[in-house]
Amino acid sequence: MLLSSAITVKRHYSLSLMRSLFSSSPYPITTFSRLVRSHRRFCSSPTPRLSNPMAIPPKFATAAVIPTEERLATRVWIKFRRESMLSLYSPFALCLASGSLKIDTFRHYIAQDVHFLKAFARAYELAEDCADDDDAKLAISELRKGVLEELKMHNSFVQEWGSDCVKESPVNSATLKYTEFLLATASGKVEGLKALGTLSTPFEKTKIAAYTLGAMTPCMRLYAFLGKEFQALLESNKHDHPYKKWIENYSSESFQASALQTEDLLDKLSVPLTGEELNIIEKLYHQAMKLEIEFFYSQPLTQPTIAPLTKEHAPEQECLMIFSDFDLTCTVVDSSAILAEIAIVTAPKSDQNQPPGQIVRMSSAELRNTWGQLSTQYTEEYEQCIESILPSEKVEFNYETLHKALEQLSDFEKRANSRVIESGVLKGLNLEDIKRAGERLILQDGCISFFKRITQNKSLDASINVLSYCWCGDLIRAAFSSGGLDAQNILANEFSFEESVSTGEIVWFVQSPIDKVQAFNDILQDRSNGRKKLSVYIGDSVGDLLCLVKADIGIVVGSSSSLRRVGSEYGVSFVPLFPGLVQKQKEFAQGRSPCIWEGGSGILYTASSWDEIHAFILGL
């Protein structure tokens, strides 16, 4: 995504938010985006992501930038990304990808998949009968042939084993539920649709073909996705992966083409449908994705797995502690941009008299200029500071060495924050305005639902702890509260108020990487109650780096180039989460990893979204 496009998204969000907050305000709408535009040079630099909340580098959830003209099949696949992650991170898929899956489990899976594929082929046959277009009929027929070829591969497995596992394994409840759903849809038993026998026109019957493809497409796309993910992990110089044949089939060009052909056909059949009918397809697609998850999780595993993380968690013996940054880890935009926007929008005009007895504020024009000067100075000095702390050549990971280097960054950030206070730009902000802004703050997809699952599951005995540079903790509390989350363990900085109006002073708790890791250590010590601790830290910036490497599991979200640059120069390794788990599972199965998770290794895991984090830690 181009940064200029990201800035446009941020500007649109900022304007919309401020208009909703201050629609009755007598002050003109002036946006902080002017300040952002003045720093495009900075945003294009090799280190665009700042750890201080004065920085406003944009980072946005995928859903915020999807073009509205995107085709149906692509749109619903992205919309239900969480379901694809749950399948990918299922214990069955993890063991299969690592090659450690017990053969009895794979045999059971093949048997269930044979039952499923027979129903899948029958559903294609029924869809072909309903299609009112020769090209569509031909396309469905070709797809059905692909399923029959898939069945031949499964039969080859059975022949190798010398016994008929299909006959030995009756259909389980998850498979039965899935096949009944497919065949019911292909028979026209869809909510809001007349019975098949009463359909009077070819177009009405064609809708059934479209609905059937809506229920079948996610299976094809999911297996194509899994095949590619697994295939990327196969070691090209080794041939001993027991499920290499399965992986190569679903990652093959022919299967990928079949998945794409299915999506193309769904798009074509959906063209004449109404909005209500497209909603039905979306519901069918989502239901199929959920049934896929049930199918994978129903496979009987007799071996321990490292995911979901909470599966092997024993609350009476171990304390699970989840830590998270806030700005651009949980949020779509940096909170400092919101606070600056509130200050500028609610500030008096240059020629406006201020009521006596109230805190004297800058005018909106003065605020814009002052913010610009502060941000320019911060940007330039930050870049210089990052350059100064980098070693002359890459070093091996050593926590103390990294800690020493980041002490310099900590000193710089405290000086920058002092300039903000001395400038007076934060004077006169109303607490209610801040809370309303927090309630409307857009959070990353999946963040709130993950936190809620953790806090609402009392049997986990797990805690959520937010450590943030945010200048105003009330903004964070309002953001979480609006999502129905009672987040009590929040450590951020706090505005000083007089009768709900900010004085411009801030009570500092967390200003730097050193402050963060000290708070992290203190919380671990205070809340473990003598039990063994398992800590997970989720962050996105250089300010999180010490906590990330100190935690038992450090997970990086986003794509901060400055974090990766500093980390890499100091010997930190960044490993994509799923490949990292596959390797861990392989080592665990071979008995080479007696202690699965242990901090201080210098290995961090990267995740593309909160959906990945949810799938790894919680599973279903």
Side-chain angles (χ1 to χ4, degrees):
M1 175 178 178
L2 295 176
L3 286 172
S4 58
S5 301
I7 291 172
T8 302
V9 175
K10 187 266 168 189
R11 290 174 57 205
H12 172 75
Y13 163 75
S14 186
L15 278 168
S16 300
L17 173 63
M18 291 305 121
R19 283 174 178 147
S20 67
L21 289 176
F22 306 108
S23 57
S24 60
S25 170
Y27 308 113
I29 299 295
T30 56
T31 74
F32 203 36
S33 58
R34 295 185 184 181
L35 176 59
V36 176
R37 286 200 301 271
S38 72
H39 294 289
R40 287 190 181 182
R41 175 191 61 79
F42 160 65
C43 290
S44 302
S45 73
T47 56
R49 172 68 181 100
L50 303 187
S51 57
N52 187 287
M54 284 181 62
I56 323 166
K59 176 173 77 72
F60 301 91
T62 305
V65 294
I66 298 172
T68 55
E69 67 271 20
E70 198 73 77
R71 65 181 193 157
L72 174 65
T74 304
R75 189 171 68 249
V76 290
W77 170 252
I78 293 174
K79 182 173 183 177
F80 302 121
R81 175 180 56 187
R82 176 175 175 271
E83 282 72 16
S84 65
M85 289 296 107
L86 286 171
S87 291
L88 177 66
Y89 281 82
S90 66
F92 171 80
L94 184 63
C95 290
L96 193 154
S98 70
S100 66
L101 185 70
K102 301 294 185 183
I103 189 63
D104 287 345
T105 302
F106 188 67
R107 284 163 58 91
H108 181 273
Y109 158 77
I110 289 295
Q112 297 305 311
D113 208 33
V114 167
H115 293 305
F116 170 78
L117 288 173
K118 288 178 179 178
F120 206 72
R122 175 59 179 158
Y124 269 139
E125 190 175 8
L126 293 171
E128 183 180 351
D129 290 340
C130 290
D132 184 36
D133 179 278
D134 288 342
D135 290 339
K137 284 181 176 291
L138 179 60
I140 294 172
S141 177
E142 289 300 315
L143 290 170
R144 183 172 179 273
K145 290 178 183 177
V147 177
L148 298 178
E149 288 299 316
E150 203 174 336
L151 278 167
K152 288 182 181 179
M153 180 190 70
H154 285 41
N155 287 333
S156 70
F157 285 127
V158 174
Q159 291 173 6
E160 288 176 12
W161 295 326
S163 62
D164 194 341
C165 63
V166 178
K167 291 182 179 179
E168 296 170 0
S169 300
V171 181
N172 67 22
S173 59
T175 307
L176 184 62
K177 187 177 177 181
Y178 200 171
T179 56
E180 287 180 344
F181 162 75
L182 281 178
L183 295 176
T185 302
S187 300
K189 297 175 183 177
V190 177
E191 184 178 352
L193 187 69
K194 293 187 292 185
L196 183 59
T198 63
L199 298 178
S200 57
T201 67
F203 174 66
E204 287 181 315
K205 291 186 65 177
T206 300
K207 283 196 291 188
I208 294 179
Y211 291 155
T212 304
L213 265 293
M216 300 177 74
T217 300
C219 174
M220 296 293 291
R221 174 48 56 201
L222 179 63
Y223 269 76
F225 166 69
L226 295 176
K228 281 295 187 183
E229 290 290 319
F230 295 174
Q231 193 272 336
L233 303 178
L234 284 177
E235 299 179 48
S236 58
N237 60 337
K238 291 189 177 182
H239 305 281
D240 59 350
H241 195 294
Y243 307 114
K244 187 175 182 180
K245 181 179 179 180
W246 186 97
I247 294 172
E248 289 181 337
N249 176 73
Y250 291 110
S251 62
S252 67
E253 290 185 8
S254 61
F255 190 85
Q256 298 294 318
S258 292
L260 184 59
Q261 186 180 5
T262 308
E263 291 176 325
D264 290 341
L265 185 56
L266 173 62
D267 290 331
K268 178 180 178 180
L269 293 173
S270 301
V271 168
L273 300 186
T274 65
E276 183 178 350
E277 290 162 347
L278 291 175
N279 286 338
I280 291 174
I281 287 183
E282 184 174 305
K283 290 178 181 177
L284 292 168
Y285 192 105
H286 191 201
Q287 179 63 16
M289 289 292 284
K290 290 189 289 187
L291 290 169
E292 283 286 359
I293 296 169
E294 289 185 39
F295 182 77
F296 282 118
Y297 278 82
S298 71
Q299 304 310 315
L301 267 71
T302 58
Q303 61 195 103
T305 59
I306 62 170
L309 184 67
T310 53
K311 183 185 177 196
E312 302 297 327
H313 172 59
E316 66 280 358
Q317 301 173 3
E318 187 177 62
C319 181
L320 176 60
M321 305 184 73
I322 310 290
F323 293 83
S324 177
D325 176 45
F326 181 69
D327 282 315
L328 301 180
T329 296
C330 297
T331 68
V332 170
V333 293
D334 196 290
S335 64
S336 64
I338 302 303
L339 293 170
E341 198 75 61
I342 297 172
I344 293 171
V345 169
T346 62
K349 297 179 182 178
S350 301
D351 58 354
Q352 186 175 351
N353 293 325
Q354 299 185 44
Q358 292 189 4
I359 294 175
V360 178
R361 303 185 63 189
M362 293 184 194
S363 68
S364 56
E366 290 174 319
L367 274 171
R368 282 196 301 272
N369 292 334
T370 305
W371 276 113
Q373 292 168 9
L374 288 169
S375 184
T376 299
Q377 184 177 1
Y378 179 86
T379 298
E380 293 174 352
E381 293 184 6
Y382 178 87
E383 291 176 323
Q384 295 169 7
C385 186
I386 289 293
E387 290 295 331
S388 70
I389 67 174
L390 294 176
S392 56
E393 58 183 27
K394 186 173 180 179
V395 299
E396 291 186 4
F397 174 73
N398 180 278
Y399 176 80
E400 297 303 327
T401 303
L402 180 61
H403 190 285
K404 189 69 176 176
L406 291 180
E407 287 176 4
Q408 300 176 52
L409 182 61
S410 296
D411 292 340
F412 156 75
E413 292 190 3
K414 290 178 180 179
R415 292 194 301 271
N417 282 332
S418 294
R419 288 197 296 266
V420 172
I421 301 304
E422 292 166 4
S423 72
V425 293
L426 297 175
K427 285 184 178 180
L429 277 70
N430 189 283
L431 177 59
E432 290 307 311
D433 290 341
I434 293 170
K435 288 181 177 179
R436 286 203 300 273
E439 291 167 357
R440 291 163 173 78
L441 194 60
I442 299 177
L443 300 181
Q444 297 280 1
D445 288 343
C447 171
I448 284 288
S449 61
F450 170 73
F451 285 162
K452 288 172 75 172
R453 276 283 302 274
I454 292 286
T455 57
Q456 292 172 0
N457 189 340
K458 302 305 179 184
S459 63
L460 278 181
D461 191 23
S463 64
I464 297 291
N465 306 272
V466 176
L467 305 180
S468 175
Y469 286 173
C470 179
W471 289 330
C472 184
D474 289 301
L475 189 76
I476 300 177
R477 287 185 283 272
F480 285 150
S481 179
S482 67
L485 179 66
D486 181 18
Q488 298 178 350
N489 301 326
I490 294 174
L491 183 63
N493 305 299
E494 303 289 348
F495 274 5
S496 175
F497 292 99
E498 288 183 4
E499 296 182 355
S500 298
V501 177
S502 66
T503 65
E505 297 292 327
I506 294 178
V507 180
W508 297 109
F509 293 103
V510 186
Q511 296 190 72
S512 68
I514 306 303
D515 290 347
K516 269 199 174 185
V517 77
Q518 183 61 55
F520 173 82
N521 290 331
D522 290 345
I523 293 170
L524 281 179
Q525 185 66 34
D526 292 343
R527 299 181 188 165
S528 62
N529 297 322
R531 289 176 294 170
K532 180 182 176 183
K533 300 177 290 290
L534 179 61
S535 59
V536 180
Y537 190 96
I538 304 160
D540 74 300
S541 72
V542 175
D544 299 308
L545 190 50
L546 291 176
C547 294
L548 285 164
V549 298
K550 197 73 181 291
D552 294 315
I553 305 171
I555 301 177
V556 177
V557 293
S559 55
S560 166
S561 59
S562 56
L563 168 62
R564 290 174 182 265
R565 185 182 180 198
V566 173
S568 296
E569 289 298 308
Y570 281 95
V572 176
S573 300
F574 296 89
V575 179
L577 183 56
F578 183 71
L581 292 182
V582 169
Q583 181 61 34
K584 279 275 188 183
Q585 182 64 41
K586 188 184 301 183
E587 294 172 359
F588 185 54
Q590 295 171 349
R592 290 191 284 139
S593 182
C595 185
I596 303 176
W597 304 111
E598 188 173 9
S601 66
I603 297 174
L604 301 181
Y605 298 95
T606 60
S608 63
S609 68
W610 281 90
D611 294 323
E612 267 199 274
I613 297 170
H614 182 122
F616 161 47
I617 295 177
L618 292 173
L620 281 179

